[in-house]
Amino acid sequence: MALKAGIVGLPNVGKSTLFNAITKKNILAANYPFATIEPNVGVVSVPDYRLDVLNEMYHPAKLIPTSFEFTDIAGLVKGASSGEGLGNKFLSHIREVDAIVEVVRCFEDKQITHVEGQIDPIRDIEIINVELILADLEIIQNRIGKIGKKADMTKDKDVILEVNTLKKCEKALEENTALRNISFIEEELAVLKNFNLITLKPIIYATNVSEDDAVTGENEYTKEVLKYAQKEGSEVIVMCAKMESELSELDDDAKKVFLAELGIKDSGLDKLIKATYTLLGLETFFTSGTDEVRAWTFRKGMKAPECAGIIHTDFQKGFIKAEVMSFNDLEELKSEKAVKEAGKLRLEGKEYLMQDGDICYFRFNV
C-alpha cells in the first residue's frame, strides 16, 4: 500500500530529529531554517505485539512486519503560500502525502532559536494552517474562475456539482476553516479528489517536549494544543524527539528497560506510528506458517479478494475462498487446531469485508 504521512512544522521544532528517530536515518538536523530542502522519505515498521505472539506460536524462518512511508518536509514559514522560504516547493511536497503529522514545539531551549522569537504553539499551528489554507484557496479560486461561467450557462449536473462544491470550499477557506473540518457528501468528495487539497488531509499534532515533560506526559503548552485539536477532532501525541532519537539507537530489549525505568509503557514514537497508521485508514491482516509470518496492510473496507491481491495479483484474479480466523481467537485458544475444534475457523467468500487482525489463507485457481 503506497501511502505516505508527511511531517510538517515551522523550522527548528524538531521535525528532522523526529524523522531521524522514525527511520533511523542520519539526515541533516541543523539549528537554522531550511536545513531540509528536498523531502526525505523513509519506510517505518508498524509496532504490533500480535507479530510477537505469532512468532512464538509458529517459530517462522521469517517474520515480516507491515510498514508505510514517512516524508520529512522542509520547515514552512509565514508567507510560504506566496513563495517565502521556498514555500511553493514545500507545499507541493505536502500535496503528495495522504496524512499530515504536524510537529509543534512545546519546549523551552535558549540554545535552539525559534523562527518567531518565542514559544507559542497555537500561534505556530495557525501560521501553518493559514499558509495551507491560502494554498488551497488559490487552487479553488483558479478553478472557479475557469468553469464558473460555464456552470451558469449549462444544465450539466457534473459541472454544477463541481462549482457548488468548490464554492462551498471557498467559503470555508475564506473563513479560515480547514476543509477536513467541513462535512462533505460522497459526490462532493469525489469532485475534490482531483485537486489533492492539503487542508482536506487528516492531521495529527506531535507536540515536541523536553525529556522531563515526556515522562509526565504533558506541560502547559501541550494542554493548549490538546484543547485546539479537540475542537477539530484531531489527535495529539506528546513526545520528546531528542529522547526518541536516542531510543532509536538501542536494541529492543535495552529500549524496554530504559522506558520501564522512566515508567513509560510505550514510547512516543510507537504511539505516533500507530496513530498515523490508523489516521491513514489502514488495518492489518496476517499470513502465518513455519516459513513466514507476515503482517499485510490494507485499507479499512476492503473485501477479501482485494486483500488477496495485495499478496499477489493472481490471488485476486483466481480467488475462490479465504480461510479466516481472528487473532483474538488464536491468542485465546493457543493453536490453530484448537481454533478449528472450537468451530471458529471460517470460510469467507468474495463479499467478506476483511477485519483488522484476521489471519488468512487464500484459496485461488488461475
Side-chain angles (χ1 to χ4, degrees):
M1 304 285 299
L3 293 176
K4 291 186 206 174
I7 304 175
V8 305
L10 294 177
N12 297 344
V13 297
K15 293 186 304 81
S16 294
T17 303
L18 175 60
F19 184 80
N20 285 343
I22 286 173
T23 62
K24 297 185 181 179
K25 287 186 176 180
N26 188 26
I27 62 167
L28 178 62
N31 181 26
Y32 55 88
F34 318 125
T36 311
I37 295 177
E38 293 300 329
N40 295 274
V41 179
V43 177
V44 61
S45 296
V46 179
D48 196 328
Y49 88 96
R50 295 174 296 187
L51 271 180
D52 297 330
V53 175
L54 294 174
N55 190 40
E56 287 298 314
M57 283 189 181
Y58 291 92
H59 301 287
K62 289 191 290 184
L63 184 70
I64 305 174
T66 191
S67 62
F68 64 97
E69 288 186 358
F70 266 102
T71 301
D72 180 34
I73 297 166
L76 288 166
V77 293
K78 194 180 293 182
S81 59
S82 56
E84 288 295 323
L86 304 179
N88 289 334
K89 191 172 185 180
F90 299 162
L91 289 166
S92 70
H93 293 317
I94 300 174
R95 292 199 186 282
E96 295 171 6
V97 303
D98 302 284
I100 296 171
V101 174
E102 183 171 333
V103 182
V104 186
R105 181 169 169 175
C106 292
F107 67 91
E108 299 277 359
D109 189 333
K110 293 180 181 178
Q111 302 302 313
I112 302 177
T113 59
H114 191 293
V115 71
E116 291 295 319
Q118 60 185 11
I119 309 303
D120 184 340
I122 303 306
R123 176 207 58 209
D124 293 354
I125 290 172
E126 287 294 347
I127 286 173
I128 288 182
N129 281 355
V130 166
E131 297 307 323
L132 302 186
I133 283 170
L134 289 173
D136 279 352
L137 188 59
E138 182 180 6
I139 286 177
I140 294 290
Q141 289 178 334
N142 284 344
R143 182 60 179 168
I144 290 175
K146 288 181 181 178
I147 68 166
K149 289 182 180 180
K150 182 179 178 182
D152 293 335
M153 300 169 60
T154 184
K155 293 183 180 179
D156 188 315
K157 291 181 180 179
D158 290 338
V159 175
I160 293 170
L161 172 64
E162 181 177 354
V163 170
N164 288 342
T165 303
L166 293 175
K167 285 184 176 179
K168 178 178 177 178
C169 292
E170 181 183 39
K171 183 176 184 295
L173 293 169
E174 287 179 338
E175 293 172 352
N176 201 35
T177 301
L179 297 180
R180 62 179 167 272
N181 299 324
I182 302 300
S183 295
F184 294 101
I185 61 173
E186 191 174 329
E187 291 79 6
E188 291 172 331
L189 288 173
V191 168
L192 297 178
K193 189 175 181 181
N194 299 321
F195 297 97
N196 214 7
L197 298 166
I198 301 172
T199 67
L200 196 57
K201 300 178 190 296
I203 192 168
I204 285 178
Y205 297 101
T207 56
N208 189 12
V209 301
S210 68
E211 293 183 35
D212 288 342
D213 290 336
V215 176
T216 61
E218 65 178 15
N219 62 28
E220 292 307 310
Y221 294 134
T222 64
K223 290 176 184 176
E224 291 177 24
V225 177
L226 184 60
K227 286 179 184 176
Y228 184 96
Q230 285 174 338
K231 292 177 183 177
E232 63 175 26
S234 296
E235 191 169 352
V236 175
I237 302 294
V238 178
M239 61 194 308
C240 173
K242 183 174 180 289
M243 181 192 292
E244 298 297 336
S245 187
E246 292 168 355
L247 281 170
S248 71
E249 300 300 322
L250 303 176
D251 62 36
D252 288 343
D253 290 337
K255 179 180 170 181
K256 287 176 183 177
V257 170
F258 182 83
L259 291 173
E261 288 176 351
L262 294 174
I264 300 174
K265 183 180 178 183
D266 294 312
S267 73
L269 183 54
D270 285 352
K271 291 177 184 175
L272 179 64
I273 292 170
K274 290 175 185 176
T276 306
Y277 191 72
T278 301
L279 189 70
L280 286 165
L282 303 178
E283 293 184 329
T284 303
F285 74 89
F286 302 92
T287 52
S288 56
T290 54
D291 291 338
E292 176 184 282
V293 166
R294 181 163 181 167
W296 301 86
T297 297
F298 70 99
R299 272 192 183 277
K300 188 174 183 178
M302 289 178 70
K303 294 181 179 179
E306 296 174 279
C307 289
I310 293 170
I311 300 175
H312 196 286
T313 52
D314 284 349
F315 284 24
Q316 183 170 2
K317 289 176 185 174
F319 180 89
I320 300 172
K321 293 282 185 182
E323 292 182 12
V324 182
M325 58 181 165
S326 77
F327 170 82
N328 290 340
D329 288 338
L330 181 61
E331 184 180 34
E332 179 186 348
L333 298 171
K334 308 301 183 187
S335 72
E336 279 191 26
K337 182 181 177 183
V339 171
K340 291 177 183 176
E341 289 173 349
K344 293 189 174 183
L345 178 68
R346 313 184 308 273
L347 272 181
E348 302 288 0
K350 292 181 178 180
E351 295 304 310
Y352 175 66
L353 286 173
M354 290 286 285
Q355 302 298 309
D356 184 59
D358 279 348
I359 301 169
C360 304
Y361 173 77
F362 294 106
R363 296 181 185 179
F364 72 103
N365 182 32
V366 177

